[in-house]
Tab-separated table of all heavy atoms in Angstrom:
chain	number	residue	atom	x	y	z
T	206	GLU	N	45.441	178.184	-91.829
T	206	GLU	CA	44.589	178.001	-93.020
T	206	GLU	C	44.439	176.545	-93.440
T	206	GLU	O	45.455	175.823	-93.474
T	206	GLU	CB	45.032	178.791	-94.181
T	206	GLU	CG	44.020	179.010	-95.287
T	206	GLU	CD	44.336	180.085	-96.269
T	206	GLU	OE1	45.411	180.715	-96.076
T	206	GLU	OE2	43.619	180.298	-97.253
T	207	GLY	N	43.258	176.093	-93.774
T	207	GLY	CA	43.003	174.721	-94.332
T	207	GLY	C	43.518	174.547	-95.724
T	207	GLY	O	43.698	175.512	-96.451
T	208	CYS	N	43.774	173.323	-96.067
T	208	CYS	CA	44.333	173.006	-97.351
T	208	CYS	C	43.301	172.846	-98.437
T	208	CYS	O	43.704	173.037	-99.659
T	208	CYS	CB	45.129	171.674	-97.284
T	208	CYS	SG	46.629	171.777	-96.222
T	209	GLU	N	42.078	172.545	-98.177
T	209	GLU	CA	41.147	172.271	-99.235
T	209	GLU	C	40.948	173.451	-100.148
T	209	GLU	O	41.030	173.348	-101.353
T	209	GLU	CB	39.774	171.938	-98.618
T	209	GLU	CG	38.762	171.601	-99.711
T	209	GLU	CD	37.429	171.131	-99.123
T	209	GLU	OE1	37.223	171.250	-97.849
T	209	GLU	OE2	36.523	170.763	-99.843
T	210	ALA	N	40.695	174.628	-99.608
T	210	ALA	CA	40.477	175.771	-100.411
T	210	ALA	C	41.716	176.152	-101.270
T	210	ALA	O	41.616	176.644	-102.424
T	210	ALA	CB	40.117	177.053	-99.546
T	211	LEU	N	42.924	175.952	-100.675
T	211	LEU	CA	44.145	176.337	-101.295
T	211	LEU	C	44.427	175.341	-102.502
T	211	LEU	O	44.949	175.699	-103.495
T	211	LEU	CB	45.323	176.346	-100.340
T	211	LEU	CG	45.146	177.461	-99.292
T	211	LEU	CD1	46.425	177.356	-98.320
T	211	LEU	CD2	45.241	178.827	-100.004
T	212	VAL	N	44.141	174.047	-102.297
T	212	VAL	CA	44.344	173.017	-103.288
T	212	VAL	C	43.379	173.345	-104.476
T	212	VAL	O	43.785	173.309	-105.667
T	212	VAL	CB	44.085	171.603	-102.779
T	212	VAL	CG1	43.947	170.583	-103.923
T	212	VAL	CG2	45.140	171.209	-101.830
T	213	VAL	N	42.159	173.611	-104.164
T	213	VAL	CA	41.124	174.001	-105.223
T	213	VAL	C	41.667	175.225	-105.978
T	213	VAL	O	41.606	175.205	-107.266
T	213	VAL	CB	39.762	174.265	-104.616
T	213	VAL	CG1	38.785	174.890	-105.668
T	213	VAL	CG2	39.217	173.030	-104.036
T	214	LYS	N	42.130	176.247	-105.269
T	214	LYS	CA	42.635	177.444	-105.906
T	214	LYS	C	43.814	177.136	-106.839
T	214	LYS	O	43.862	177.617	-107.994
T	214	LYS	CB	43.027	178.467	-104.843
T	214	LYS	CG	43.494	179.753	-105.427
T	214	LYS	CD	43.915	180.734	-104.318
T	214	LYS	CE	44.494	182.082	-104.954
T	214	LYS	NZ	44.903	182.991	-103.844
T	215	LYS	N	44.715	176.313	-106.347
T	215	LYS	CA	45.931	175.965	-107.145
T	215	LYS	C	45.538	175.205	-108.469
T	215	LYS	O	46.013	175.510	-109.514
T	215	LYS	CB	46.874	175.077	-106.283
T	215	LYS	CG	48.119	174.726	-107.021
T	215	LYS	CD	49.065	175.892	-107.239
T	215	LYS	CE	50.390	175.451	-107.806
T	215	LYS	NZ	51.308	176.667	-107.992
T	216	LEU	N	44.670	174.254	-108.343
T	216	LEU	CA	44.248	173.436	-109.421
T	216	LEU	C	43.449	174.248	-110.443
T	216	LEU	O	43.671	174.117	-111.678
T	216	LEU	CB	43.434	172.219	-109.066
T	216	LEU	CG	44.130	171.132	-108.196
T	216	LEU	CD1	43.175	170.095	-107.788
T	216	LEU	CD2	45.332	170.601	-108.896
T	217	GLN	N	42.658	175.210	-110.024
T	217	GLN	CA	41.964	176.101	-110.858
T	217	GLN	C	42.911	177.020	-111.614
T	217	GLN	O	42.662	177.362	-112.761
T	217	GLN	CB	40.897	176.841	-110.130
T	217	GLN	CG	39.716	175.990	-109.693
T	217	GLN	CD	38.688	176.758	-108.901
T	217	GLN	OE1	38.927	177.787	-108.326
T	217	GLN	NE2	37.440	176.224	-108.912
T	218	GLU	N	43.910	177.457	-110.954
T	218	GLU	CA	44.950	178.342	-111.568
T	218	GLU	C	45.619	177.589	-112.707
T	218	GLU	O	45.850	178.166	-113.806
T	218	GLU	CB	45.935	178.769	-110.515
T	218	GLU	CG	45.482	179.888	-109.623
T	218	GLU	CD	46.523	180.252	-108.526
T	218	GLU	OE1	47.573	179.607	-108.539
T	218	GLU	OE2	46.317	181.193	-107.809
T	219	ILE	N	45.935	176.296	-112.423
T	219	ILE	CA	46.602	175.506	-113.460
T	219	ILE	C	45.770	175.385	-114.730
T	219	ILE	O	46.207	175.504	-115.857
T	219	ILE	CB	46.989	174.110	-112.902
T	219	ILE	CG1	48.010	174.267	-111.773
T	219	ILE	CG2	47.554	173.210	-113.961
T	219	ILE	CD1	48.219	172.972	-110.947
T	220	MET	N	44.455	175.143	-114.419
T	220	MET	CA	43.539	174.991	-115.573
T	220	MET	C	43.403	176.317	-116.337
T	220	MET	O	43.268	176.277	-117.574
T	220	MET	CB	42.149	174.542	-115.046
T	220	MET	CG	41.190	174.099	-116.158
T	220	MET	SD	41.909	172.647	-117.085
T	220	MET	CE	41.873	171.397	-115.803
T	221	MET	N	43.556	177.424	-115.633
T	221	MET	CA	43.481	178.759	-116.316
T	221	MET	C	44.623	178.889	-117.266
T	221	MET	O	44.556	179.572	-118.231
T	221	MET	CB	43.393	179.859	-115.318
T	221	MET	CG	41.965	180.026	-114.668
T	221	MET	SD	40.660	180.380	-115.867
T	221	MET	CE	41.247	181.828	-116.709
T	222	TYR	N	45.804	178.375	-116.833
T	222	TYR	CA	46.998	178.422	-117.727
T	222	TYR	C	46.717	177.812	-119.075
T	222	TYR	O	47.016	178.296	-120.110
T	222	TYR	CB	48.207	177.707	-117.022
T	222	TYR	CG	48.725	178.423	-115.842
T	222	TYR	CD1	49.373	177.670	-114.786
T	222	TYR	CD2	48.656	179.827	-115.696
T	222	TYR	CE1	49.775	178.303	-113.631
T	222	TYR	CE2	49.074	180.419	-114.527
T	222	TYR	CZ	49.679	179.655	-113.521
T	222	TYR	OH	50.147	180.284	-112.354
T	223	VAL	N	46.042	176.554	-118.994
T	223	VAL	CA	45.686	175.918	-120.209
T	223	VAL	C	44.728	176.697	-121.047
T	223	VAL	O	44.826	176.842	-122.279
T	223	VAL	CB	45.024	174.497	-119.823
T	223	VAL	CG1	44.573	173.775	-121.140
T	223	VAL	CG2	46.021	173.631	-119.146
T	224	ILE	N	43.709	177.305	-120.398
T	224	ILE	CA	42.728	178.067	-121.133
T	224	ILE	C	43.330	179.295	-121.810
T	224	ILE	O	43.048	179.534	-122.977
T	224	ILE	CB	41.621	178.547	-120.124
T	224	ILE	CG1	40.816	177.337	-119.642
T	224	ILE	CG2	40.664	179.541	-120.832
T	224	ILE	CD1	39.837	177.620	-118.562
T	225	TRP	N	44.172	179.981	-121.126
T	225	TRP	CA	44.788	181.158	-121.707
T	225	TRP	C	45.755	180.885	-122.752
T	225	TRP	O	45.894	181.597	-123.783
T	225	TRP	CB	45.459	182.037	-120.628
T	225	TRP	CG	44.536	182.858	-119.798
T	225	TRP	CD1	44.221	182.697	-118.443
T	225	TRP	CD2	43.660	183.935	-120.280
T	225	TRP	NE1	43.242	183.541	-118.044
T	225	TRP	CE2	42.878	184.349	-119.134
T	225	TRP	CE3	43.495	184.557	-121.476
T	225	TRP	CZ2	42.016	185.445	-119.218
T	225	TRP	CZ3	42.599	185.596	-121.604
T	225	TRP	CH2	41.829	186.020	-120.430
T	226	ALA	N	46.467	179.781	-122.578
T	226	ALA	CA	47.434	179.353	-123.648
T	226	ALA	C	46.683	178.936	-124.863
T	226	ALA	O	47.011	179.293	-126.024
T	226	ALA	CB	48.220	178.082	-123.128
T	227	ALA	N	45.534	178.230	-124.780
T	227	ALA	CA	44.711	177.832	-125.855
T	227	ALA	C	44.168	179.075	-126.631
T	227	ALA	O	44.193	179.119	-127.839
T	227	ALA	CB	43.650	176.974	-125.472
T	228	LEU	N	43.751	180.047	-125.834
T	228	LEU	CA	43.187	181.284	-126.437
T	228	LEU	C	44.212	182.042	-127.154
T	228	LEU	O	43.986	182.568	-128.297
T	228	LEU	CB	42.514	182.098	-125.354
T	228	LEU	CG	41.107	181.666	-124.777
T	228	LEU	CD1	40.757	182.566	-123.602
T	228	LEU	CD2	40.092	181.684	-125.904
T	229	ALA	N	45.413	182.184	-126.545
T	229	ALA	CA	46.434	182.924	-127.181
T	229	ALA	C	46.925	182.345	-128.506
T	229	ALA	O	47.061	183.008	-129.518
T	229	ALA	CB	47.698	183.043	-126.242
T	230	PHE	N	47.083	181.047	-128.522
T	230	PHE	CA	47.575	180.348	-129.744
T	230	PHE	C	46.485	180.143	-130.761
T	230	PHE	O	46.734	180.042	-131.987
T	230	PHE	CB	48.269	179.124	-129.406
T	230	PHE	CG	49.542	179.330	-128.702
T	230	PHE	CD1	49.761	179.078	-127.345
T	230	PHE	CD2	50.652	179.905	-129.359
T	230	PHE	CE1	50.873	179.334	-126.700
T	230	PHE	CE2	51.837	180.246	-128.726
T	230	PHE	CZ	52.003	179.910	-127.340
T	231	ALA	N	45.204	180.235	-130.365
T	231	ALA	CA	44.072	180.226	-131.285
T	231	ALA	C	44.114	181.557	-132.057
T	231	ALA	O	43.913	181.562	-133.237
T	231	ALA	CB	42.790	180.108	-130.568
T	232	ALA	N	44.478	182.660	-131.351
T	232	ALA	CA	44.583	183.973	-131.987
T	232	ALA	C	45.791	183.959	-132.991
T	232	ALA	O	45.632	184.486	-134.114
T	232	ALA	CB	44.792	185.048	-131.017
T	233	ILE	N	46.888	183.311	-132.641
T	233	ILE	CA	47.978	183.185	-133.533
T	233	ILE	C	47.683	182.420	-134.776
T	233	ILE	O	48.034	182.815	-135.868
T	233	ILE	CB	49.227	182.502	-132.796
T	233	ILE	CG1	49.772	183.483	-131.693
T	233	ILE	CG2	50.344	182.220	-133.800
T	233	ILE	CD1	50.857	182.874	-130.834
T	234	GLN	N	46.880	181.360	-134.639
T	234	GLN	CA	46.525	180.577	-135.700
T	234	GLN	C	45.528	181.275	-136.675
T	234	GLN	O	45.587	181.138	-137.862
T	234	GLN	CB	45.873	179.259	-135.225
T	234	GLN	CG	46.902	178.273	-134.709
T	234	GLN	CD	46.314	177.134	-133.888
T	234	GLN	OE1	45.227	176.722	-134.159
T	234	GLN	NE2	46.994	176.718	-132.932
T	235	LEU	N	44.679	182.129	-136.119
T	235	LEU	CA	43.769	182.927	-136.936
T	235	LEU	C	44.631	183.871	-137.767
T	235	LEU	O	44.338	184.083	-138.961
T	235	LEU	CB	42.888	183.762	-136.054
T	235	LEU	CG	41.559	183.043	-135.544
T	235	LEU	CD1	40.820	183.945	-134.606
T	235	LEU	CD2	40.776	182.662	-136.723
T	236	LEU	N	45.695	184.454	-137.209
T	236	LEU	CA	46.625	185.288	-137.989
T	236	LEU	C	47.287	184.478	-139.049
T	236	LEU	O	47.481	185.031	-140.189
T	236	LEU	CB	47.608	185.933	-137.069
T	236	LEU	CG	48.642	186.870	-137.662
T	236	LEU	CD1	47.930	188.061	-138.293
T	236	LEU	CD2	49.623	187.382	-136.612
T	237	GLY	N	47.750	183.311	-138.795
T	237	GLY	CA	48.386	182.446	-139.739
T	237	GLY	C	47.440	182.117	-140.900
T	237	GLY	O	47.812	182.104	-142.064
T	238	MET	N	46.207	181.753	-140.611
T	238	MET	CA	45.205	181.510	-141.621
T	238	MET	C	44.934	182.720	-142.470
T	238	MET	O	44.807	182.558	-143.725
T	238	MET	CB	43.899	180.944	-141.002
T	238	MET	CG	43.996	179.548	-140.421
T	238	MET	SD	42.356	178.892	-139.898
T	238	MET	CE	42.168	179.798	-138.374
T	239	LEU	N	44.860	183.860	-141.885
T	239	LEU	CA	44.621	185.108	-142.611
T	239	LEU	C	45.772	185.399	-143.550
T	239	LEU	O	45.540	185.697	-144.747
T	239	LEU	CB	44.479	186.270	-141.651
T	239	LEU	CG	44.253	187.663	-142.239
T	239	LEU	CD1	42.962	187.670	-143.048
T	239	LEU	CD2	44.237	188.696	-141.189
T	240	CYS	N	46.991	185.225	-143.127
T	240	CYS	CA	48.203	185.452	-143.968
T	240	CYS	C	48.205	184.459	-145.159
T	240	CYS	O	48.475	184.872	-146.309
T	240	CYS	CB	49.465	185.338	-143.150
T	240	CYS	SG	49.654	186.673	-141.938
T	241	ALA	N	47.880	183.221	-144.836
T	241	ALA	CA	47.948	182.171	-145.921
T	241	ALA	C	46.843	182.503	-146.951
T	241	ALA	O	47.055	182.310	-148.195
T	241	ALA	CB	47.789	180.840	-145.318
T	242	CYS	N	45.624	182.920	-146.498
T	242	CYS	CA	44.607	183.283	-147.434
T	242	CYS	C	44.916	184.415	-148.247
T	242	CYS	O	44.578	184.475	-149.472
T	242	CYS	CB	43.313	183.517	-146.687
T	242	CYS	SG	42.554	182.069	-145.871
T	243	ILE	N	45.616	185.506	-147.689
T	243	ILE	CA	46.069	186.611	-148.439
T	243	ILE	C	47.017	186.159	-149.568
T	243	ILE	O	46.908	186.606	-150.769
T	243	ILE	CB	46.714	187.604	-147.573
T	243	ILE	CG1	45.687	188.274	-146.639
T	243	ILE	CG2	47.425	188.742	-148.370
T	243	ILE	CD1	46.258	189.192	-145.575
T	244	VAL	N	47.976	185.296	-149.270
T	244	VAL	CA	48.887	184.837	-150.292
T	244	VAL	C	48.153	184.030	-151.335
T	244	VAL	O	48.483	184.261	-152.576
T	244	VAL	CB	50.015	183.913	-149.616
T	244	VAL	CG1	50.873	183.265	-150.650
T	244	VAL	CG2	50.792	184.692	-148.679
T	245	LEU	N	47.233	183.178	-150.999
T	245	LEU	CA	46.434	182.410	-151.946
T	245	LEU	C	45.683	183.343	-152.906
T	245	LEU	O	45.610	183.181	-154.097
T	245	LEU	CB	45.482	181.509	-151.258
T	245	LEU	CG	46.118	180.198	-150.672
T	245	LEU	CD1	45.084	179.460	-149.804
T	245	LEU	CD2	46.551	179.293	-151.804
T	246	CYS	N	45.076	184.377	-152.285
T	246	CYS	CA	44.247	185.367	-153.082
T	246	CYS	C	45.134	186.138	-154.061
T	246	CYS	O	44.731	186.336	-155.256
T	246	CYS	CB	43.499	186.252	-152.177
T	246	CYS	SG	42.182	185.514	-151.260
T	247	ARG	N	46.266	186.617	-153.616
T	247	ARG	CA	47.186	187.360	-154.481
T	247	ARG	C	47.701	186.466	-155.563
T	247	ARG	O	47.839	186.912	-156.732
T	247	ARG	CB	48.418	187.824	-153.672
T	247	ARG	CG	48.004	188.987	-152.754
T	247	ARG	CD	49.223	189.469	-151.990
T	247	ARG	NE	50.237	189.944	-152.946
T	247	ARG	CZ	51.476	190.367	-152.541
T	247	ARG	NH1	51.785	190.263	-151.316
T	247	ARG	NH2	52.348	190.766	-153.475
T	248	ARG	N	47.931	185.173	-155.318
T	248	ARG	CA	48.485	184.337	-156.333
T	248	ARG	C	47.448	183.981	-157.363
T	248	ARG	O	47.760	183.835	-158.594
T	248	ARG	CB	48.948	183.007	-155.699
T	248	ARG	CG	49.800	182.156	-156.539
T	248	ARG	CD	50.430	181.003	-155.724
T	248	ARG	NE	51.368	180.280	-156.472
T	248	ARG	CZ	51.079	179.295	-157.367
T	248	ARG	NH1	49.797	178.989	-157.541
T	248	ARG	NH2	51.989	178.645	-157.999
T	249	SER	N	46.155	183.874	-157.006
T	249	SER	CA	45.142	183.483	-157.918
T	249	SER	C	44.657	184.682	-158.753
T	249	SER	O	44.155	184.543	-159.831
T	249	SER	CB	43.978	182.967	-157.147
T	249	SER	OG	43.430	183.827	-156.268
T	250	ARG	N	44.915	185.986	-158.217
T	250	ARG	CA	44.431	187.122	-159.002
T	250	ARG	C	45.505	187.823	-159.791
T	250	ARG	O	45.200	188.714	-160.530
T	250	ARG	CB	43.847	188.144	-157.942
T	250	ARG	CG	42.617	187.656	-157.291
T	250	ARG	CD	42.166	188.689	-156.288
T	250	ARG	NE	40.960	188.243	-155.563
T	250	ARG	CZ	40.427	188.945	-154.573
T	250	ARG	NH1	40.946	190.107	-154.233
T	250	ARG	NH2	39.349	188.507	-153.977
T	251	ASP	N	46.755	187.426	-159.704
T	251	ASP	CA	47.833	188.028	-160.436
T	251	ASP	C	48.422	187.157	-161.514
T	251	ASP	O	49.303	186.328	-161.280
T	251	ASP	CB	48.979	188.346	-159.381
T	251	ASP	CG	49.998	189.323	-160.045
T	251	ASP	OD1	49.928	189.550	-161.286
T	251	ASP	OD2	50.878	189.775	-159.283
T	252	PRO	N	47.822	187.276	-162.810
T	252	PRO	CA	48.337	186.419	-163.837
T	252	PRO	C	49.772	186.635	-164.185
T	252	PRO	O	50.429	185.736	-164.623
T	252	PRO	CB	47.409	186.842	-165.069
T	252	PRO	CG	46.945	188.237	-164.703
T	252	PRO	CD	46.857	188.287	-163.203
T	253	ALA	N	50.219	187.858	-164.016
T	253	ALA	CA	51.708	188.111	-164.341
T	253	ALA	C	52.605	187.293	-163.361
T	253	ALA	O	53.604	186.734	-163.769
T	253	ALA	CB	52.026	189.591	-164.221
C-alpha cells in the first residue's frame, strides 16, 4: 500500500480528535452557563 492515502487518513483522524473535543467541551460549557444562570435567577428572585 502507498503512503499518501494513509498519511491523509492519519492527519484527518487527528483533526477529527480536535473537532470532537471542541464539540464535547462546548456542550459542557453550555451546561456550565445554564447552571450559573439558574443560580443568578434564584438569587435575584428570592428576597429572603
Side-chain angles (χ1 to χ4, degrees):
E206 193 168 0
C208 293
E209 181 178 6
L211 294 178
V212 168
V213 169
K214 181 181 178 181
K215 182 67 174 180
L216 294 177
Q217 288 181 339
E218 284 177 357
I219 295 169
M220 194 59 66
M221 282 304 300
Y222 294 151
V223 174
I224 292 171
W225 283 113
L228 285 174
F230 291 107
I233 292 174
Q234 287 167 29
L235 278 177
L236 180 61
M238 286 188 286
L239 178 62
C240 292
C242 288
I243 290 173
V244 173
L245 281 171
C246 291
R247 287 181 61 185
R248 194 172 187 277
S249 60
R250 291 178 182 177
D251 191 351

